[in-house]
Amino acid sequence: MSITIKDIARETGFSVATVSRVLSDKTGFFSPQTAIIVREAAANLGYKKNMAATELVTQKSNVIAVIVNSTKTNFSDQIINGIQKRADEAEKRVIILYAGDRNERAQKIALSTALERPILGILLLSVDLFPSNLDILTSSQIPFYFLSISFKNNELNYISSDDQEIGYQATRYLLEQGHKNIGIAGLDITNSAHTGVLRFKGYQQALNESGITFKQHWLQTGDYSYESGISALRNYCLNKDVTAVIAASDLVGIGILNECSHLKINVPAELSIITIDGTNLCKLVRPQLSSVTQDFYRMGYLGTTYLINSAQNNAYTSIVINQRQSVQKISSTDY
């Protein structure tokens, strides 16, 4: 049987009301000595406050549900750090639920698990909900924010980087290093994949401004995974004209880098690589990967702030080019 406030009152000789006030951290109703006695008794008896019951009674919740897409990339750690930091500052608690990788049933289970209890709101990390699951979310009347993903539908609250600008800046950077035959690898650009479509649009914009005609084999689609990078590099080797590649994620970049090592292709002398994300993985490989670095921590921090305030707006966070060792400047005589 669970220990109750009545058990602590019986053990200490104080009233149930006094014990309740002490354990609820109220002040002015009891002496410091009383608080010490009650808390020691609670600890000795193994008392655990039933937060769910309290929230049901008060109709207020301090719990933020975070639903994470089980992707093959590693960006979510920094977002969760930002969420946890802001939640701690606001004395909120965080629960994390996994929604699979484009799995309709897993998404529904995660949403149902969150919505079955009182929660302050829901943060969804790069989760592209199936239409039926999106209906569940929007009809719940619970505040929510999508993080690290954007939508054509501006009625869906989200915080992300400017994905078209990411594609544009990555391409401009390689163009400024003298590259003209630039591939882009690992992107999902299907109709529902708004993020990938925007990044590809920015890539094409930069090429067009430089008067460079896009070649279809420069685009190697994928799912942002390590395996997508390996596959892309093998396909580039069939044409042998690409001198630089934009990897859709750090893992795509590492897949390209490792396959280059396997095929004895020197990076960056023979192939330059710039990745999108800029997580710590970029510093763990050799050569270290240059990147378009997203501010994932800020996405998590801002998303939690907006959720707590129930603000209804969309926002973009900053990106920055981090030059490391995987991009080499070339001149026109190298072509």
Side-chain angles (χ1 to χ4, degrees):
M1 297 274 304
S2 298
I3 299 299
T4 68
I5 288 176
K6 289 182 180 180
D7 296 321
I8 300 171
R10 189 180 304 113
E11 177 72 15
T12 60
F14 296 118
S15 68
V16 170
T18 297
V19 172
S20 177
R21 291 186 185 110
V22 171
L23 297 179
S24 298
D25 294 323
K26 293 183 178 179
T27 59
F29 298 97
F30 47 83
S31 68
Q33 186 61 33
T34 297
I36 292 172
I37 294 171
V38 169
R39 290 187 177 117
E40 284 183 351
N44 292 335
L45 292 172
Y47 171 77
K48 295 183 183 301
K49 189 172 183 179
N50 189 335
M51 293 302 297
T54 301
E55 289 164 357
L56 284 170
V57 171
T58 62
Q59 292 298 301
K60 294 180 180 179
S61 177
N62 287 322
V63 175
I64 296 170
V66 177
I67 298 180
V68 180
N69 188 25
S70 301
T71 60
K72 299 173 183 177
T73 59
N74 67 320
F75 66 90
S76 61
D77 292 350
Q78 295 175 49
I79 297 180
I80 292 172
N81 287 341
I83 292 171
Q84 191 64 64
K85 173 64 174 176
R86 184 66 186 94
D88 287 345
E89 291 174 353
E91 297 184 343
K92 309 300 181 185
R93 292 177 295 129
V94 175
I95 59 173
I96 298 176
L97 303 164
Y98 287 91
D101 187 8
R102 289 297 296 164
N103 185 311
E104 185 172 7
R105 181 173 179 274
Q107 288 181 0
K108 184 175 182 180
I109 291 173
L111 282 169
S112 298
T113 302
L115 295 171
E116 282 171 357
R117 61 160 297 153
I119 53 173
L120 187 152
I122 300 176
L123 296 172
L124 302 98
L125 277 59
S126 195
V127 179
D128 189 5
L129 291 176
F130 286 83
S132 61
N133 291 327
L134 183 59
D135 288 342
I136 293 173
L137 176 65
T138 55
S139 64
S140 70
Q141 304 301 309
I142 296 294
F144 65 86
Y145 263 90
F146 289 90
L147 304 180
S148 190
I149 188 172
S150 59
F151 299 94
K152 294 179 182 178
N153 182 358
N154 286 325
E155 293 181 1
L156 297 176
N157 298 318
Y158 64 82
I159 298 174
S160 73
S161 299
D162 186 331
D163 289 300
Q164 184 167 337
E165 187 68 11
I166 282 178
Y168 180 82
Q169 291 295 344
T171 311
R172 283 299 315 165
Y173 177 72
L174 292 174
L175 289 167
E176 289 166 1
Q177 305 307 306
H179 295 277
K180 296 179 181 177
N181 295 352
I182 300 170
I184 187 166
L187 282 179
D188 180 0
I189 58 168
T190 55
N191 289 335
S192 62
H194 190 53
T195 296
V197 169
L198 287 176
R199 291 178 183 178
F200 184 58
K201 187 176 180 180
Y203 161 81
Q204 289 181 305
Q205 177 187 349
L207 291 182
N208 290 338
E209 287 178 0
S210 296
I212 295 174
T213 302
F214 167 73
K215 297 179 182 179
Q216 190 59 47
H217 69 268
W218 288 356
L219 170 63
Q220 296 295 322
T221 57
D223 60 357
Y224 302 91
S225 66
Y226 177 86
E227 291 76 16
S228 292
I230 292 175
S231 175
L233 194 279
R234 290 174 180 172
N235 289 329
Y236 287 138
C237 287
L238 297 176
N239 292 277
K240 299 182 179 180
D241 64 335
V242 170
T243 65
V245 180
I246 300 166
S249 73
D250 294 341
L251 282 179
V252 172
I254 293 173
I256 294 171
L257 182 65
N258 285 353
E259 190 64 9
C260 282
S261 177
H262 176 70
L263 297 176
K264 310 301 182 185
I265 298 172
N266 185 278
V267 176
E270 296 176 87
L271 182 71
S272 291
I273 304 170
I274 186 168
T275 75
I276 296 172
D277 283 347
T279 65
N280 288 336
L281 290 179
C282 292
K283 300 177 182 179
L284 299 180
V285 294
R286 294 294 181 273
Q288 294 184 357
L289 289 167
S290 299
S291 66
V292 181
T293 299
Q294 303 188 68
D295 195 343
F296 290 118
Y297 180 90
R298 188 161 182 261
M299 288 182 198
Y301 192 94
L302 277 181
T304 308
T305 299
Y306 289 165
L307 193 70
I308 292 170
N309 296 336
S310 295
Q312 300 294 310
N313 51 16
N314 299 324
Y316 293 107
T317 59
S318 61
I319 58 174
V320 63
I321 300 288
N322 278 320
Q323 167 65 56
R324 297 188 180 94
Q325 302 163 348
S326 63
V327 173
Q328 178 169 286
K329 189 170 184 177
I330 63 175
S331 65
S332 57
T333 58
D334 295 319
Y335 278 93

